[in-house]
């Protein structure tokens, strides 16, 4: 197991230092209601807070590129995980701003870019990938590391992800859902590959025992299952990326059944093709009635009814960060060109209802807080 880079005492003292620095004006106050996102800032990267007016404030600077971001459900801490092959995760205070601490993956592993708090905020789970042996053609076996927040995010248990190249993970309903992406598109391992070996695994959230699995049909074997979203009532979707660049219109959004079975959402062939084989983020709106996907390659945000009916898309150049908005039927999306937009979904269609430019180079992910 990998050793954390701080102790429980350091975590407590670090949080106190952040609070004290804020009172002295050393740290810049952050938003505690709005969104958290990852972004490119200056010559480096950062976790940023985005307020109700879509103004961004850097909160946790990094020399490494960051990926998934997650806020604790019970306090001011948030964690941002390094992009695969990530070797660092940053813990910061999203109410006051400032890094509290950092931790590494387990020995011989790298982060996949995602981690999640449990509902009580006591544990943090990270998907990690074993480094394959030299010459091996694959992404490496997956491990779910269970970390104790109060013990400095130290690993206390490890479970198999039951697949290769795990990417996202999320508790939904009575299961811990893991998206084992298999061979990741646009990597050296993907060269000449046509089958990812991707799968959805359902784990028991207490023991890590495998309770179900979902695989795609042979005609969709080139898809890597990557990002997850939940509606808060047990409904879960997964978005995919395609190894192949053959122009075929393959579905890239799937509903996950309680047994892990995958059911494709509907859309016209031209709509699937316009995503250009790549979905970077997926989210439910606050009501759970709508699902949206953002694609930086297709330069758009596409929206469906939660029952799988395609509603339409709005343009967003290099848009990837995506999260639930503040009101039912809304999403917030951000782009690599510094734009943040609100997208409104109705049964009759989709529209951009507000926009702000001039922000940082927003990266892959956003999450709503407050």
């Amino acid at each position: 197991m990998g050793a954390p880079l701080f102790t429980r005492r350091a975590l407590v003292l670090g949080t106190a230092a952040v609070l004290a620095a804020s009172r002295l004006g050393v740290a810049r106050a952050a938003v505690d209601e709005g969104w958290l996102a990852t972004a490119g800032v200056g010559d480096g990267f950062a976790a940023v807070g985005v307020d109700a007016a879509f103004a961004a404030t850097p909160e946790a600077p990094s020399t490494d590129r960051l990926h998934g971001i997650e806020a604790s459900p019970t306090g001011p801490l948030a964690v941002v995980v390094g992009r695969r092959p990530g070797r660092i995760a940053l813990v910061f205070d999203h109410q006051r701003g400032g890094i509290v601490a950092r931790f590494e993956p387990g020995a011989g592993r790298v982060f996949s870019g995602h981690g999640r708090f449990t509902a009580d905020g006591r544990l943090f789970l990270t998907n990690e990938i074993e480094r394959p042996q030299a010459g091996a053609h694959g992404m490496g076996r997956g491990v779910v590391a269970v970390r104790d927040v109060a013990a400095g995010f130290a690993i206390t248990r490890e479970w198999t992800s039951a697949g290769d190249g795990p990417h996202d993970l999320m508790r939904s309903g009575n299961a811990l859902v893991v998206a084992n992406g298999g061979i990741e598109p646009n990597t050296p391992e993907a060269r000449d590959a046509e089958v990812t070996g991707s799968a959805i695994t359902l784990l028991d959230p207490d023991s890590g025992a495998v309770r179900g699995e979902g695989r795609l049909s042979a005609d969709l074997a080139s898809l890597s299952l990557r990002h997850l979203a939940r509606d808060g009532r047990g409904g879960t979707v997964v978005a995919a990326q395609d190894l192949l660049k053959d122009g075929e219109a393959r579905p890239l959004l799937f509903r996950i059944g309680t047994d892990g079975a995958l059911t494709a959402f509907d859309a016209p062939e031209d709509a699937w093709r316009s995503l250009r084989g790549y979905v970077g983020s997926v989210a439910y709106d606050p009501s759970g009635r709508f699902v949206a996907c953002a694609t930086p390659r297709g330069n758009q945000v596409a929206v469906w009814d939660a029952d799988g009916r395609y509603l339409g898309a709005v343009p967003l150049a290099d848009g990837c960060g995506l999260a639930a908005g503040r009101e039912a039927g809304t999403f917030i999306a951000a782009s690599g060109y510094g734009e943040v937009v609100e997208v409104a979904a109705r049964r009759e269609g989709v529209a951009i209802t507000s926009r702000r430019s001039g922000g940082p180079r927003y990266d892959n992910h956003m999450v709503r807080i407050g």
Side-chain angles (χ1 to χ4, degrees):
M1 295 183 182
L5 298 187
F6 60 97
T7 63
R8 178 178 178 179
R9 181 171 181 270
L11 178 65
V12 173
L13 292 176
T15 302
V18 168
L19 298 178
S22 178
R23 286 192 291 270
L24 292 171
V26 176
R28 184 176 176 185
V31 297
D32 59 4
E33 183 174 355
W35 299 268
L36 301 175
T38 54
V41 177
D43 294 330
F45 307 93
V48 300
V50 180
D51 65 19
F54 302 161
T57 302
E59 304 301 339
S62 173
T63 56
D64 296 331
R65 189 175 177 186
L66 305 171
H67 194 70
I69 191 163
E70 174 88 346
S72 170
T74 60
L77 293 183
V79 178
V80 60
V81 183
R83 182 182 177 92
R84 192 207 69 83
R87 291 174 172 81
I88 199 72
L90 304 178
V91 185
F92 66 100
D93 184 320
H94 68 77
Q95 292 180 346
R96 300 288 184 175
I99 295 173
V100 174
R102 59 193 72 211
F103 58 90
E104 295 179 337
R109 303 198 296 259
V110 295
F111 287 130
S112 72
H114 288 277
R116 304 286 183 179
F117 283 97
T118 54
D120 59 11
R122 296 174 59 188
L123 302 175
F124 189 78
L125 280 59
T126 50
N127 263 346
E128 303 182 13
I129 303 173
E130 295 177 351
R131 296 188 184 98
Q133 295 180 349
H137 188 74
M139 301 304 291
R141 299 291 295 174
V143 174
V144 177
V146 182
R147 298 171 177 272
D148 186 335
V149 173
F153 291 81
I155 298 174
T156 59
R157 286 171 286 167
E158 293 183 351
W159 303 328
T160 177
S161 77
D164 290 347
H167 194 68
D168 205 354
L169 76 168
M170 177 178 287
R171 172 73 182 266
S172 185
N174 296 320
L176 177 66
V177 184
V178 180
N180 286 298
I183 294 177
E184 181 178 337
N186 309 299
T187 60
E189 295 85 355
R191 189 174 296 115
D192 299 325
E194 296 185 356
V195 175
T196 65
S198 186
I200 291 294
T201 303
L202 304 184
L203 302 181
D204 184 287
D206 297 317
S207 68
V210 177
R211 297 197 332 202
E213 183 184 72
R215 289 188 176 272
L216 296 169
S217 56
D219 59 323
L220 299 178
S222 63
L223 300 186
S224 173
L225 299 169
R226 307 198 62 74
H227 292 113
L228 300 163
R230 62 190 174 201
D231 65 4
R233 298 186 296 275
T236 320
V237 294
V238 61
Q241 297 170 10
D242 201 343
L243 272 179
L244 301 180
K245 297 178 174 63
D246 57 3
E248 289 295 316
R250 298 181 180 90
L252 298 179
L253 181 63
F254 301 84
R255 183 181 299 105
I256 302 173
T258 56
D259 59 352
L262 297 163
T263 303
F265 275 43
D266 293 325
E269 285 194 2
D270 286 349
W272 288 127
R273 196 172 287 112
S274 71
L275 301 181
R276 298 187 62 187
Y278 189 99
V279 172
S281 289
V282 61
Y284 277 94
D285 81 300
S287 73
R289 294 173 56 204
F290 303 99
V291 179
C293 289
T295 167
R297 294 189 181 171
N299 298 306
Q300 62 179 273
V301 177
V303 184
W304 285 258
D305 276 334
D307 62 9
R309 183 173 67 93
Y310 181 72
L311 298 178
V314 295
L316 184 63
D318 196 31
C320 194
L322 182 68
R326 290 167 292 181
E327 300 176 355
T330 64
F331 301 89
I332 303 301
S335 86
Y337 292 105
E339 282 195 302
V340 180
V341 300
E342 181 183 68
V343 179
R346 301 291 182 267
R347 299 285 180 180
E348 57 272 15
V350 186
I352 292 176
T353 52
S354 61
R355 183 189 305 265
R356 180 173 182 139
S357 302
R361 305 182 306 276
Y362 291 103
D363 212 331
N364 287 80
H365 293 293
M366 299 183 77
V367 63
R368 182 181 169 184
I369 55 172

